[in-house]
Amino acid sequence: MSDSKGKVELIVNGKRMDGRSADDLRDVKIQVGIINEADGSAYVEWGGNKIVCGIYGPRECIPRHGASPYHALIKCRYMMSPFSSLEEHSRSGPSRRSNELSKVIREVFENLIIAEKFPNTQIDIFIDVLQADGGTRTASITAAAVALANAGIPMKDMVSAVAVGKAGDMLALDLNKLEDNFGKSDMPLAISNRDKKILLVQMDGLLTKEEVMEMVDMVEKGCEKVHHIQTEALKRFYQDGNEKVKW
Ligand code: CDP
């Protein structure tokens, strides 16, 4: 929706464009173990985002001279498919943005995976965004956590991630693409479930200290909900005898 000056109006009558209130998440669905050839995998539909994550490893480190005798190397490759959004239309391959996202996602898991258990190996996290609708880095972290659990990779804690920002003047949880692209601020966060450690924080725009504190609280509550969905997805996979295509 845009006003007479062509500006996108993100809040109409106190509601967000998709009818959500400030602290509502979009619909989140997670499916575990969808890739036969990966050691662990997960598929996430989060609003309009569709993201697949496949895990390989621990496996031999390539190139070998890069291996560490003390721990597994964690590698991450985040990629948007050419058809994932208008911006990515017919474009393929890495970009500065995908390199940045691969790095920040990798760092989240470097702080969680008990890599000392697997010296001289690597653990690969492959993330493919099939459809993008704002919050792909947070949805990717959420998917990768589940996929790593599915691969049996030991972690100190589980992690969930949600972005928060400012749509118009409203603090709003889980920004969709329009809110992300046209909002005043955007702050993706990843929080570990048990220890409540912030494992990722990035920020665009201007925020006051009070707003940041309130937004961290909003994300913490959102992450609790996402964690529940992650756990339920894993339970469904193991309790239902690895049946496929079940939400
Ligand atoms: O996806 P995330 O919010 O983590 O990252 P972003 O760089 O803030 O991008 C916000 C949204 O803009 C993405 O989720 C996509 O929907 C869209 N986008 C895109 O379609 N193509 C790009 N090259 C970059 C962003």
Side-chain angles (χ1 to χ4, degrees), residues 33-73:
I34 49 144
I35 310 288
N36 287 344
E37 300 304 329
D39 294 322
S41 60
Y43 171 64
V44 168
E45 281 188 11
W46 184 319
N49 293 309
K50 295 184 178 175
I51 299 174
V52 184
C53 176
I55 306 293
Y56 287 92
R59 61 180 177 178
E60 186 185 3
C61 192
I62 310 279
R64 274 199 201 170
H65 63 78
S68 164
Y70 303 109
H71 58 83
L73 297 190

Side-chain angles (χ1 to χ4, degrees), residues 14 25 44-45 57-58 60 75 84 88-89 99-100 103 107 153 181 189 191 193 197 219 222 226-227 232 244:
L25 290 173
V44 168
E45 281 188 11
E60 186 185 3
K75 299 189 178 181
S84 62
E88 292 292 323
H89 185 61
N99 287 341
E100 176 211 319
K103 174 179 180 286
E107 286 170 353
I153 307 286
N181 291 179
L189 287 164
I191 302 183
N193 181 256
K197 287 202 172 128
V219 170
V226 173
H227 179 254
E232 287 303 307
K244 307 260 149 119

Side-chain angles (χ1 to χ4, degrees), residues 80 85 87-88 97 132-137 177 180-181 186:
M80 276 178 124
S85 71
E87 287 88 335
E88 292 292 323
R97 178 178 172 278
D133 184 29
T136 61
R137 80 195 65 203
K177 183 184 166 178
D180 182 304
N181 291 179
D186 167 27

Side-chain angles (χ1 to χ4, degrees), residues 186-204:
D186 167 27
M187 188 167 77
L189 287 164
I191 302 183
S192 62
N193 181 256
R194 208 180 32 231
D195 296 347
K196 305 293 176 219
K197 287 202 172 128
I198 295 179
L199 296 166
L200 167 105
V201 59
Q202 296 186 280
M203 199 189 101
D204 262 350

Side-chain angles (χ1 to χ4, degrees), residues 165-166 168-169 171 183-187 203-209 211-212 215:
K166 239 178 169 180
D169 290 322
L171 298 186
K184 290 187 181 163
S185 172
D186 167 27
M187 188 167 77
M203 199 189 101
D204 262 350
L206 291 177
L207 292 168
T208 64
K209 186 175 160 192
E211 284 172 336
V212 170
M215 287 157 98

